[in-house]
Amino acid sequence: MSVTAAHAVTQRPLYHFQPRANWMNDPNGLIQWDGQYHLFYQYNPNGPVHDTIHWGHATSRDLVRWERLPVALTPTPGAPDEAGCYSGCAVDANGVPTLMYTGVRGDRPYHESQCLATSADGLRTWRPHPGNPVIAAPPDGLDVVGFRDPYVWKEGDAWYCLIGSSVRRVGGTVFLYRSADLVHWEYLHQLLTGDQTVTDPVWTGTMWECPQFFPLGDKHVLMISVWDTHKTHYTAYYLGAYRDHTFTPEGVRRFDTGANYYAPATLRDERGRRLIWGWPWEGRSQEAQRAAGWAGVMSLPRVLTLRDDGALGVEPAPELQALRGAHQHHTGIRLTPSSSGVLPEARGDALEIVAEFDPASGNARQYGLLVRCSPEREEYTRIVYDRAEERLLVDRTHASLDPDVQRGAHGGAFELAAGESLRLHVYLDRSIVEVYANGRTCLTERIYPSRPDSLGIDLFANGGSITATAVDVWTLTLAGDTPA
Ligand code: DQQ
């Protein structure tokens, strides 16, 4: 086996959802129907690059094992989606499963319009609506860039739809529409428009993609994917009040402060939970993606809640515990700057780790976890709490000896209350790391260790000592048909 092929094998995630091969990006059309979760996603069946975008489709009963189904949406020659079926949503239209998505046609930059498709066989096959597009162009009189990613919900007797866009030289925006039948739409107004000159507390960019808008507790959340020509891609959310089709935001924050998480979509499941999936895109070259034959992965399902401090709470879905295999439990590990190899038995590239640190137990300036460590530390990825800066980071500076992969340290502000422990909950799956902390922040990063022996994990402390009060490590395995 060539070196490249060997790397492709170890970098392909084991328990995160992926198509068997080729390209995937955004989650789309998330819906639970007759108990089954349906996950659609942006998919190119023709190669591991973003092109000829279809909708892939998978279902699950337990959020862990996914069955891959035939492609749901295919571009139709001569139709508004002839160049691609871009992102969108799914609704239950009085018993008829209905997708609303952006069709693109022509040459780049594509003409974008909004289309419908329905299924008469239990969400298996989909027929484009003969009247497509149902929204042909953005509202008149505005200089807009981009018009895509419809998000639809029902309120009273009417359907409402948000579409992501941008007002040139102003900022990202979302247009609000109303319809009685999902086919004839009336433009109402801009639900919210960003200001691209404002950078604090979050720069909301020049264009908003993939809006999500939903009630949570007694508030509404407007989630947007911040896109910019300078290659900025991240997710932000506004929490606020929604009344009379007007949204009054109280503040804006980042969602997932890692380097590789974008275009999330949500669903409210039959248990009333708000679940979210995002797209952790690749952090390696197009050549490496072509050599691997695949690109893109779906994040794990997360449960969103509304916290008393006005921020979103986020936890991995508890169903993921079904992945747990062999388990180790350690307590009271004292860490100093010279500590090394404190978890010699724990190894693997598909692991769940829960590590709890007591800040009152010492004065370490930085502490945390190392994953995917080679025996002599040529490679390692650091998950770091910087106590002085009050920041939680994933540091990929030494994650790979491969010079062509993304590196750098990413993260965000994270304050611990007086007496509060730090609880790091980490899912490692070969080339993806998802980090959750204290139920209120998360980071997603892609890493590409080049050495097959980069399988160790460790704990560390810098600038002082600290105690890890408890550390649990599980080897994760997936029984079922998901891995290729
Ligand atoms: N991806 C889709 C668009 C969306 C973007 C195209 C976000 O609909 O705006 O594949 O990643």
Side-chain angles (χ1 to χ4, degrees), residues 153-186:
W153 72 97
K154 192 151 199 194
E155 218 182 296
D157 290 338
W159 294 101
Y160 289 80
C161 176
L162 281 184
I163 299 175
S165 187
S166 155
V167 181
R168 207 185 296 271
R169 287 182 291 278
V170 176
T173 193
V174 278
F175 296 123
L176 180 63
Y177 289 78
R178 176 166 55 204
S179 171
D181 56 7
L182 292 170
V183 177
H184 304 91
W185 291 93
E186 165 200 10

Coordinates of all heavy atoms in Angstrom, one line a residue, residues 153-186:
W153 N -40.7 27.3 8.2 CA -41.4 26.8 9.4 C -42.9 27.2 9.3 O -43.2 28.1 8.5 CB -40.8 27.3 10.7 CG -41.0 28.8 11.0 CD1 -42.0 29.4 11.7 CD2 -40.2 29.9 10.4 NE1 -41.8 30.7 11.7 CE2 -40.8 31.1 11.0 CE3 -39.1 29.9 9.6 CZ2 -40.2 32.3 10.6 CZ3 -38.6 31.2 9.3 CH2 -39.1 32.4 9.8
K154 N -43.8 26.6 10.1 CA -45.2 26.9 10.1 C -45.5 27.7 11.3 O -45.1 27.5 12.4 CB -46.0 25.7 10.1 CG -47.4 25.9 9.7 CD -48.1 24.8 9.0 CE -49.3 25.2 8.3 NZ -50.1 24.1 7.9
E155 N -46.3 28.8 11.1 CA -46.8 29.6 12.2 C -48.2 29.9 12.0 O -48.6 30.5 10.9 CB -46.0 30.9 12.1 CG -45.5 31.5 13.4 CD -44.8 32.8 13.2 OE1 -43.7 32.8 12.6 OE2 -45.3 33.9 13.6
G156 N -49.1 29.4 12.9 CA -50.6 29.6 12.6 C -50.9 28.8 11.3 O -50.5 27.7 11.2
D157 N -51.6 29.4 10.4 CA -52.0 28.8 9.1 C -51.0 29.0 8.0 O -51.2 28.5 6.9 CB -53.3 29.3 8.7 CG -54.5 28.8 9.6 OD1 -54.2 27.8 10.2 OD2 -55.5 29.5 9.6
A158 N -50.0 29.8 8.3 CA -49.1 30.2 7.2 C -47.7 29.6 7.3 O -47.2 29.2 8.4 CB -48.9 31.7 7.2
W159 N -47.0 29.4 6.2 CA -45.6 29.0 6.1 C -44.8 30.3 6.1 O -45.1 31.3 5.4 CB -45.4 28.2 4.9 CG -46.1 26.9 4.9 CD1 -47.2 26.6 4.2 CD2 -45.7 25.7 5.6 NE1 -47.6 25.3 4.4 CE2 -46.6 24.7 5.3 CE3 -44.6 25.4 6.4 CZ2 -46.6 23.4 5.8 CZ3 -44.5 24.1 6.9 CH2 -45.5 23.1 6.6
Y160 N -43.6 30.2 6.7 CA -42.7 31.3 6.7 C -41.3 30.7 6.2 O -41.0 29.6 6.5 CB -42.5 32.0 8.0 CG -43.8 32.8 8.4 CD1 -44.9 32.1 8.9 CD2 -43.8 34.1 8.1 CE1 -46.0 32.8 9.2 CE2 -45.0 34.8 8.4 CZ -46.1 34.2 8.9 OH -47.2 34.9 9.2
C161 N -40.6 31.6 5.5 CA -39.3 31.1 5.0 C -38.2 32.2 5.1 O -38.5 33.4 4.8 CB -39.5 30.8 3.5 SG -37.9 30.3 2.6
L162 N -37.1 31.8 5.6 CA -35.9 32.7 5.6 C -35.0 32.3 4.5 O -34.7 31.1 4.3 CB -35.2 32.6 6.9 CG -35.7 33.4 8.1 CD1 -34.8 33.2 9.3 CD2 -36.0 34.8 7.9
I163 N -34.4 33.3 3.8 CA -33.4 33.0 2.8 C -32.1 33.8 3.1 O -32.2 35.0 3.3 CB -33.9 33.3 1.4 CG1 -35.1 32.4 1.2 CG2 -32.9 33.0 0.3 CD1 -35.9 32.6 -0.1
G164 N -31.0 33.2 3.1 CA -29.7 33.8 3.4 C -29.2 34.7 2.2 O -29.4 34.3 1.0
S165 N -28.7 35.8 2.6 CA -28.2 36.8 1.5 C -27.2 37.8 2.0 O -26.7 37.6 3.2 CB -29.5 37.5 0.9 OG -29.1 38.2 -0.2
S166 N -27.0 38.8 1.3 CA -26.1 39.8 1.6 C -26.5 41.1 0.9 O -26.8 41.1 -0.2 CB -24.7 39.4 1.1 OG -23.9 40.5 0.9
V167 N -26.5 42.2 1.7 CA -26.7 43.5 1.0 C -25.3 44.1 0.8 O -24.5 44.3 1.8 CB -27.5 44.5 1.9 CG1 -27.7 45.8 1.1 CG2 -28.9 43.8 2.2
R168 N -24.9 44.3 -0.5 CA -23.6 44.8 -0.8 C -23.2 46.0 0.0 O -23.9 46.9 0.1 CB -23.5 45.1 -2.3 CG -22.1 44.9 -2.9 CD -22.1 45.3 -4.3 NE -22.9 44.5 -5.2 CZ -22.5 43.4 -5.8 NH1 -21.3 42.9 -5.6 NH2 -23.3 42.8 -6.6
R169 N -22.0 46.0 0.6 CA -21.4 47.0 1.4 C -22.1 47.3 2.7 O -21.7 48.2 3.5 CB -21.3 48.4 0.6 CG -20.2 48.4 -0.5 CD -20.1 49.7 -1.2 NE -21.3 49.9 -2.0 CZ -21.4 49.4 -3.2 NH1 -20.5 48.6 -3.7 NH2 -22.5 49.6 -3.9
V170 N -23.1 46.5 3.1 CA -23.8 46.6 4.4 C -23.5 45.4 5.2 O -22.9 45.5 6.3 CB -25.3 46.7 4.2 CG1 -26.0 46.8 5.5 CG2 -25.6 48.0 3.4
G171 N -23.8 44.2 4.8 CA -23.6 43.0 5.6 C -24.5 41.9 5.2 O -25.3 42.0 4.3
G172 N -24.4 40.8 5.9 CA -25.3 39.6 5.7 C -26.7 40.0 6.1 O -27.0 40.9 6.9
T173 N -27.6 39.3 5.5 CA -29.0 39.5 5.8 C -29.8 38.2 5.6 O -29.4 37.2 5.0 CB -29.6 40.6 4.9 OG1 -30.9 41.0 5.4 CG2 -29.8 40.2 3.5
V174 N -31.0 38.2 6.2 CA -32.0 37.1 5.9 C -33.3 37.7 5.5 O -33.9 38.6 6.2 CB -32.2 36.2 7.1 CG1 -31.1 35.1 7.2 CG2 -32.2 36.9 8.5
F175 N -33.8 37.3 4.4 CA -35.1 37.8 3.9 C -36.2 36.9 4.4 O -36.1 35.6 4.4 CB -35.2 37.7 2.3 CG -34.2 38.6 1.7 CD1 -33.2 38.1 0.8 CD2 -34.2 40.0 2.0 CE1 -32.3 39.0 0.2 CE2 -33.3 40.9 1.4 CZ -32.3 40.3 0.5
L176 N -37.3 37.5 4.8 CA -38.5 36.7 5.4 C -39.6 36.8 4.3 O -40.0 37.8 3.8 CB -39.0 37.4 6.7 CG -40.2 36.7 7.4 CD1 -39.9 35.3 7.8 CD2 -40.6 37.5 8.6
Y177 N -40.1 35.6 4.0 CA -41.3 35.4 3.1 C -42.4 34.7 3.8 O -42.2 34.0 4.8 CB -40.8 34.5 1.9 CG -39.9 35.2 1.0 CD1 -38.5 35.3 1.3 CD2 -40.3 35.7 -0.2 CE1 -37.6 35.9 0.4 CE2 -39.4 36.3 -1.1 CZ -38.1 36.4 -0.8 OH -37.2 37.0 -1.7
R178 N -43.6 34.8 3.2 CA -44.8 34.1 3.8 C -45.6 33.4 2.6 O -45.6 34.0 1.5 CB -45.7 35.1 4.5 CG -47.0 34.4 5.0 CD -47.7 35.3 6.0 NE -48.0 36.6 5.4 CZ -48.2 37.7 6.2 NH1 -48.2 37.7 7.5 NH2 -48.5 38.9 5.6
S179 N -46.2 32.3 2.9 CA -46.9 31.6 1.9 C -48.1 30.8 2.6 O -48.0 30.3 3.7 CB -46.0 30.6 1.2 OG -46.8 29.7 0.3
A180 N -49.2 30.6 1.8 CA -50.2 29.7 2.3 C -50.0 28.3 1.9 O -50.6 27.4 2.5 CB -51.6 30.3 1.8
D181 N -49.3 28.1 0.8 CA -49.2 26.7 0.2 C -47.8 26.3 -0.1 O -47.6 25.2 -0.8 CB -50.1 26.7 -1.1 CG -49.6 27.8 -2.0 OD1 -48.6 28.4 -1.8 OD2 -50.3 28.0 -3.1
L182 N -46.8 27.0 0.3 CA -45.4 26.7 0.0 C -45.0 27.0 -1.5 O -43.8 26.8 -1.9 CB -45.0 25.2 0.3 CG -45.0 24.8 1.8 CD1 -44.8 23.3 1.9 CD2 -43.8 25.5 2.5
V183 N -46.0 27.3 -2.3 CA -45.7 27.5 -3.8 C -45.7 29.0 -4.1 O -44.9 29.5 -4.8 CB -46.8 26.8 -4.6 CG1 -46.6 27.0 -6.1 CG2 -46.7 25.2 -4.3
H184 N -46.7 29.7 -3.6 CA -46.8 31.2 -3.8 C -46.3 31.9 -2.6 O -46.8 31.8 -1.5 CB -48.2 31.5 -4.1 CG -48.8 30.8 -5.3 ND1 -49.5 29.6 -5.1 CD2 -48.8 31.0 -6.6 CE1 -49.8 29.1 -6.2 NE2 -49.4 29.9 -7.2
W185 N -45.2 32.7 -2.8 CA -44.6 33.4 -1.7 C -44.7 34.9 -1.8 O -44.5 35.4 -2.9 CB -43.1 32.9 -1.6 CG -42.9 31.5 -1.2 CD1 -42.8 30.4 -2.0 CD2 -42.8 31.0 0.1 NE1 -42.6 29.3 -1.3 CE2 -42.6 29.6 0.0 CE3 -42.9 31.6 1.4 CZ2 -42.5 28.8 1.2 CZ3 -42.8 30.8 2.5 CH2 -42.6 29.4 2.4
E186 N -44.9 35.5 -0.7 CA -44.9 37.0 -0.6 C -43.7 37.4 0.2 O -43.5 36.9 1.3 CB -46.3 37.3 0.1 CG -46.4 38.7 0.6 CD -47.5 38.9 1.7 OE1 -48.0 37.8 2.2 OE2 -47.8 40.0 2.0

